[in-house]
Amino acid sequence: METHRRSLAKAATYRLFATSLVFLIAFLYTGSFGNAAKIGVSAAVAKTALYYLWERLWSRITWGVEAR
């Protein structure tokens, strides 16, 4: 079983990796560092919020959950 510290490190490094990729794609499309940064940060915030909401939604669904 993973420690909470490891899980947090994996989540943080994945978010950094994914945001960097969004930034790079946005920069290639716009050619603007500032616009690419705005897109990258906006996407990171939006995806984090959406993931939280998604998890809360799934916590209410009992399909596939086995009783202990």
Side-chain angles (χ1 to χ4, degrees), residues 21-37:
L21 181 60
V22 170
F23 171 83
L24 177 62
I25 293 168
F27 181 75
L28 292 174
Y29 273 98
T30 66
S32 166
F33 183 85
N35 287 339

Side-chain angles (χ1 to χ4, degrees), residues 2 10 19 21 23 28 33-34 37 39 44 49-51 55 61 65:
E2 285 190 357
K10 284 171 57 178
T19 300
L21 181 60
F23 171 83
L28 292 174
F33 183 85
I39 293 168
L50 286 173
Y51 183 75
E55 283 294 315
I61 298 171
V65 176

Side-chain angles (χ1 to χ4, degrees), residues 42-58:
S42 298
V45 170
K47 287 177 182 182
T48 301
L50 286 173
Y51 183 75
Y52 173 79
L53 294 172
W54 187 255
E55 283 294 315
R56 297 308 300 159
L57 174 66
W58 270 96

